[in-house]
Amino acid sequence: MGKHTPLVQKLIDALRVLPSVGPKSAQRMAYQLLERNREAGLQLASALHSAMTKVGHCQRCRTFCEGQICQICAHPIRGQSSLLCIVASAADLFAIEQTGLFAGRYFVLRGQLSPLDGVGPTELGLDALSQQLGQGKIEEVILATNPTVEGEATAFYIAELCRKHRVQVSRLAQGMPVGGELEFLDGSTLSYALSGRKPF
Amino acid sequence: MGKHTPLVQKLIDALRVLPSVGPKSAQRMAYQLLERNREAGLQLASALHSAMTKVGHCQRCRTFCEGQICQICAHPIRGQSSLLCIVASAADLFAIEQTGLFAGRYFVLRGQLSPLDGVGPTELGLDALSQQLGQGKIEEVILATNPTVEGEATAFYIAELCRKHRVQVSRLAQGMPVGGELEFLDGSTLSYALSGRKPF
Ligand SMILES: [Zn+2]
Ligand SMILES: [Zn+2]
């Protein structure tokens, strides 16, 4: 009889879709909500439902947005910026916004090139990007895709697109993470740090 | 503009009710569902709603149950067992069931005595337990409350109840956890292990 009741099992299975939630923690989550906080469980159900059905994407930069145009694109100054930062996801956009150091606008790819998974230029919205570049208002594109094979391939592809439109391109610096310890760095990060060294 | 849209923020806040989910992981969960798996997000919403509203408690042992009586209590043999194991939560019941070593039935307290938090004998259902003990069909009660101050106080209280009903009482053994290393054991576990030592 070491079995959960059907609805509890269904809840445990459903919780597994959350990142880094294994069977043990899914069970702990389900039992804790059922035993101590059903009201919060119902609130979570309704917040999930609203977000999944009502959060859309900005028509211009494709980040999460509950209307047609996001706050950044709608901003009188930032929305007209000639500096365009290209990120792989809305989460990456949020991380850059958190630094408070970037005052331009964004284009969110919502993925990175991965031909084997069927993710090509169309899926990433590169036609829309190309169109924006063609309007001649963008002077510099910052490629902020991940420092991974797919991120690099995506950056490479977009860099070509920029050159075609005679738009300047830059890439986020790669090197030692702040606070990282040199002896624990992986080899390729260390080579980037070495070859990209700067006068001190 | 380092802000989530209102519905995304609401979802992130709601995810924080899950055990060991901090602001960072709540954000990652929300973004991942929104970016990659809205269908699964909707399924989770509906599984949460069903479980929170439809999972009740067994009228006899108080564990999670979708009908009136749970599978164990309804079982022709286990339901008639004269061995009653008392646990603090349905999760503890499940953990014991997983061992496959216990063939009696249970009583789920759904908490432990904690007068300061307003959890007294009534909240734990001890009246119902006393009534079951009074029926004279239970020969032994196994106290499987946690080895904590509150768990011990609860065990002590129930042991008194059992003595009044002339029912035999036992407590789960305390000592070294299997696979644990002696040098990392806390002092009180070690004292239990010492004073409870057995001939080898
Ligand atoms: Zn936008
Ligand atoms: Zn039951």
Side-chain angles (χ1 to χ4, degrees):
Chain A
M1 321 234 167
K3 266 188 193 168
H4 305 291
T5 72
L7 290 175
V8 175
Q9 186 62 56
K10 218 167 166 182
L11 174 55
I12 293 173
D13 294 342
L15 284 163
R16 298 280 312 275
V17 303
L18 299 173
S20 46
V21 172
K24 272 274 164 193
S25 26
Q27 182 190 316
R28 203 156 40 94
M29 286 170 172
Y31 273 67
Q32 185 152 319
L33 288 177
L34 284 165
E35 274 172 353
R36 297 190 221 161
N37 213 343
R38 297 204 181 203
E39 202 44 62
L42 285 173
Q43 269 163 23
L44 175 54
S46 122
L48 273 165
H49 190 270
S50 301
M52 297 303 132
T53 55
K54 291 181 197 151
V55 175
H57 295 95
C58 171
Q59 288 185 350
R60 195 174 176 220
C61 76
R62 309 182 1 139
T63 195
F64 293 142
C65 179
E66 289 167 30
Q68 305 220 308
I69 294 288
C70 77
Q71 276 198 297
I72 296 175
C73 288
H75 190 274
I77 297 164
R78 292 192 68 175
Q80 305 306 316
S81 174
S82 61
L83 194 57
L84 183 72
C85 180
I86 299 190
V87 289
S89 71
D92 294 343
L93 181 159
F94 188 76
I96 295 177
E97 280 299 284
Q98 289 297 90
T99 67
L101 291 173
F102 180 69
R105 59 190 197 84
Y106 296 90
F107 187 86
V108 180
L109 300 171
R110 288 162 54 193
Q112 298 183 122
L113 281 181
S114 178
L116 292 178
D117 302 319
V119 181
T122 314
E123 284 68 32
L124 298 188
L126 296 187
D127 305 340
L129 175 64
S130 184
Q131 206 184 329
Q132 289 189 23
L133 294 175
Q135 288 165 356
K137 287 179 186 160
I138 293 162
E139 285 167 18
E140 183 183 348
V141 159
I142 300 176
L143 296 168
T145 55
N146 294 330
T148 58
V149 173
E150 293 176 352
E152 292 295 343
T154 308
F156 196 83
Y157 189 98
I158 297 173
E160 281 301 307
L161 209 62
C162 292
R163 268 176 221 117
K164 213 160 63 186
H165 289 288
R166 293 160 198 277
V167 172
Q168 211 182 315
V169 199
S170 60
R171 179 105 176 84
L172 289 194
Q174 279 177 265
M176 297 193 291
V178 176
E181 291 186 60
L182 202 134
E183 67 170 313
F184 300 120
L185 281 184
D186 64 295
S188 46
T189 301
L190 200 49
S191 357
Y192 268 111
L194 261 174
S195 62
R197 67 191 180 279
K198 291 184 180 169
F200 190 69
Chain B
M1 317 232 169
K3 267 190 193 166
H4 305 290
T5 71
L7 290 174
V8 176
Q9 185 62 55
K10 217 166 166 181
L11 174 56
I12 292 173
D13 294 342
L15 284 163
R16 297 282 311 275
V17 303
L18 299 172
S20 46
V21 171
K24 272 274 165 195
S25 26
Q27 183 189 316
R28 202 157 41 95
M29 288 170 170
Y31 274 67
Q32 186 153 317
L33 288 176
L34 284 165
E35 274 172 353
R36 300 191 217 160
N37 213 344
R38 296 202 183 205
E39 202 43 63
L42 284 174
Q43 269 163 24
L44 175 54
S46 124
L48 273 166
H49 189 269
S50 301
M52 297 304 130
T53 54
K54 291 181 197 150
V55 175
H57 297 95
C58 172
Q59 289 184 351
R60 195 172 175 222
C61 76
R62 312 186 356 142
T63 194
F64 293 141
C65 180
E66 290 167 30
Q68 305 220 305
I69 294 287
C70 77
Q71 276 197 296
I72 296 174
C73 288
H75 189 274
I77 297 164
R78 292 192 68 176
Q80 305 306 315
S81 175
S82 61
L83 194 57
L84 183 72
C85 181
I86 299 192
V87 290
S89 71
D92 294 344
L93 182 160
F94 188 77
I96 295 176
E97 280 300 283
Q98 289 296 91
T99 68
L101 292 174
F102 180 70
R105 57 189 198 83
Y106 295 91
F107 187 86
V108 180
L109 301 172
R110 289 162 56 195
Q112 298 183 122
L113 282 181
S114 178
L116 292 179
D117 303 319
V119 182
T122 314
E123 284 69 30
L124 298 187
L126 296 187
D127 304 340
L129 176 64
S130 185
Q131 206 183 330
Q132 289 189 23
L133 293 174
Q135 287 163 357
K137 287 178 185 161
I138 293 163
E139 287 168 17
E140 183 184 348
V141 159
I142 300 177
L143 296 168
T145 54
N146 294 329
T148 58
V149 174
E150 292 175 354
E152 291 298 341
T154 309
F156 195 83
Y157 189 99
I158 298 173
E160 281 300 306
L161 209 61
C162 293
R163 267 174 223 122
K164 212 160 64 186
H165 290 287
R166 291 159 200 279
V167 171
Q168 211 183 314
V169 199
S170 61
R171 178 104 176 86
L172 289 194
Q174 279 177 263
M176 294 193 293
V178 176
E181 291 186 60
L182 202 132
E183 66 170 313
F184 299 120
L185 280 183
D186 64 294
S188 45
T189 302
L190 200 51
S191 359
Y192 268 111
L194 260 173
S195 61
R197 67 192 180 281
K198 291 184 179 169
F200 188 70

